[in-house]
Amino acid sequence: MQEHNPTPSKIPELLCPAGNLKKLKIALEYGADAVYGGVSHFSLRNRSGKEFDFESFKEGVEITHERGKKIYVTINGFPFNSQLKLLESHIEKMASLNPDAFIVSTPGVIRLSSQIAPQIPIHLSTQANVLNILDAQVFYELGVKRIIAARELSLKDAVEIKKALPDLELEIFVHGSMCFAFSGRCLISALQNGRVPNRGSCANDCRFDYEYYVRNPDNGVMMRLVEEEGIGTHIFNAKDLNLIEHLPLILESGAIDSLKIEGRTKSSYYAGITAFAYKTALQDYARGEFKGEKYMQELETLKNRGFSDGYLVHRPFEKNNTQNHLTAISEGSYQVNAEVGEEGKTALCRHTIRPGEPKEIVSAHWDSIRVGKNEIGEIFEEKGKKYLRLFKILLENGKELESIHSGNENAFVLPFALPPFSFLRQRI
């Protein structure tokens, strides 16, 4: 793999999803420079918005700032008239937490936020679909500090926007779920399920199985076109975005200020591994030691629908590999067996664990893990990786089990303390 020498004056910010307080802590632990999340249905991820309440989000802001990192509040839904008073009070409440920015989608909410909380910078959501200098100029004049570009933006156009507006920050998505519609402006879910994607409640209808039928207008006969018996086809299902191997090209453009990872509704393991892989890649690049295959191997351990490099480097009409027509099921090369708690002494089971079975340890602080053995189990190193093997499964409450399975929310004791939020995994 060719080495790259860094040319930008600074490495861009790594911005990671914070779907709840635990995922926020994990993202920060594994290398995020900034996190984003929100409370209530004004965020475009209702499910993650419900994971936070005001008090836990306030705690998240405090934790983030204590670590010298940044946190951005998502207020990027599209409000109806009936919600405007509620939106005003929500903006006031969020501003009281002193976040580092609001992420919003519409000119009206930009102006409202600027009136209520002029001290909070405004970041424009990708939902605004900015693709060119003209639109970027308009939002910049409205007071927007940063534009989160449409996923369909090319790197060449990002460079042109940066040249025209050097003080305007540009943020792009580098990893996560892709939408079949243009920058998420989709109505399929609203039509089929009454769940409005642009107000945060997308049902992911693009991932469903669909069947084709043809109808003869003369006699009304309907015939099913069979792709694969009992399966149907996935005509809208996009692969997941993964730009890790294009990072040198992105960084050497000098146009990008922030690299964003999608995934507030994804797992804790996803929050940790994506932050760790991209942070490691950025650090290696800064040292002239970038190795794309190394980071790709780690990202392939995540559940995914297949990977695509999206549209930043190639135009949509030049692509033929962005859709997964075979399955909507996410697959990865590893199974997560356990999540280690914040205190590092116990873990929660996420997949079956039996005594005597070694599990690989994944941690943001791998070098601090020491090998050893006691009556509960052992930690050992093999072929450059560290593993944990339990001799017995002892729960925190003192009960001993022959095996432990997912769904058991009783923490089990580790033989030795591990770094906070480490994971135990095994190859599938």
Side-chain angles (χ1 to χ4, degrees), residues 4-6 11 251 280-290:
H4 295 262
N5 293 315
I11 298 296
L251 300 185
T280 302
L282 291 171
Q283 290 173 336
D284 285 355
Y285 173 83
R287 292 191 292 261
E289 300 173 359
F290 186 89

Side-chain angles (χ1 to χ4, degrees), residues 22-289:
K22 182 172 80 168
K23 293 176 189 177
L24 179 149
K25 293 176 181 178
I26 289 172
L28 296 175
E29 190 74 24
Y30 278 79
D33 300 309
V35 293
Y36 65 98
V39 184
S40 92
H41 51 270
F42 291 116
S43 167
L44 266 184
R45 286 292 182 272
N46 265 351
R47 285 169 289 169
S48 62
K50 292 173 183 175
E51 295 267 2
F52 274 116
D53 57 23
F54 179 77
E55 290 305 318
S56 60
F57 195 77
K58 178 182 179 182
E59 184 180 350
V61 174
E62 292 169 351
I63 289 170
T64 303
H65 286 163
E66 285 170 3
R67 288 175 170 243
K69 308 292 182 73
K70 294 182 178 180
I71 182 167
Y72 309 135
V73 178
T74 51
I75 314 178
N76 54 342
F78 291 72
F80 292 142
N81 284 332
S82 59
Q83 298 177 302
L84 296 183
K85 288 295 182 184
L86 184 60
L87 176 61
E88 288 181 19
S89 62
H90 181 68
I91 291 171
E92 290 176 356
K93 204 168 186 181
M94 290 296 100
S96 71
L97 302 180
N98 293 315
D100 297 282
F102 288 154
I103 300 174
V104 304
S105 297
T106 74
V109 181
I110 291 172
R111 187 167 67 176
L112 183 64
S113 298
S114 299
Q115 290 170 347
I116 295 173
Q119 76 280 15
I120 307 295
I122 302 295
H123 293 181
L124 185 72
S125 172
T126 188
Q127 295 291 114
N129 308 145
V130 170
L131 287 165
N132 57 59
I133 295 169
L134 272 179
D135 290 337
Q137 178 76 45
V138 169
F139 285 108
Y140 180 65
E141 290 172 358
L142 285 174
V144 167
K145 179 183 179 183
R146 175 186 297 183
I147 285 177
I148 307 163
R151 284 175 172 84
E152 295 76 17
L153 182 80
S154 71
L155 187 58
K156 179 181 177 181
D157 285 330
V159 170
E160 292 302 312
I161 292 172
K162 194 68 174 179
K163 285 180 181 176
L165 300 163
D167 294 330
L168 176 66
E169 295 180 4
L170 286 182
E171 177 179 307
I172 61 168
F173 280 93
V174 292
H175 198 95
S177 294
M178 291 279 282
C179 185
F180 178 78
F182 193 95
S183 288
R185 301 300 289 268
C186 175
L187 291 174
I188 299 174
S189 178
L191 176 68
Q192 295 193 145
N193 288 292
R195 290 170 57 174
V196 185
N198 295 320
R199 294 180 64 236
S201 56
C202 180
N204 290 319
D205 295 55
C206 56
R207 317 294 186 196
F208 293 177
D209 300 342
Y210 289 92
E211 298 175 353
Y212 290 112
Y213 289 85
V214 293
R215 178 179 179 274
N216 185 330
D218 293 333
N219 56 24
V221 171
M222 294 279 287
M223 294 178 288
R224 178 171 176 247
L225 304 180
V226 180
E227 289 283 327
E228 185 178 345
E229 189 63 40
I231 299 297
T233 186
H234 302 84
I235 58 175
F236 303 121
N237 186 33
K239 293 180 181 179
D240 293 342
L241 178 66
N242 183 340
L243 287 173
I244 194 84
E245 292 188 297
H246 292 293
L247 278 188
L249 182 66
I250 293 169
L251 300 185
E252 287 159 17
S253 76
I256 306 304
D257 299 281
S258 181
L259 307 173
K260 187 171 194 173
I261 295 171
E262 182 275 341
R264 279 184 281 158
T265 61
K266 291 187 168 68
S267 69
S268 297
Y269 180 71
Y270 175 96
I273 294 301
T274 52
F276 185 68
Y278 278 88
K279 189 63 173 182
T280 302
L282 291 171
Q283 290 173 336
D284 285 355
Y285 173 83
R287 292 191 292 261
E289 300 173 359

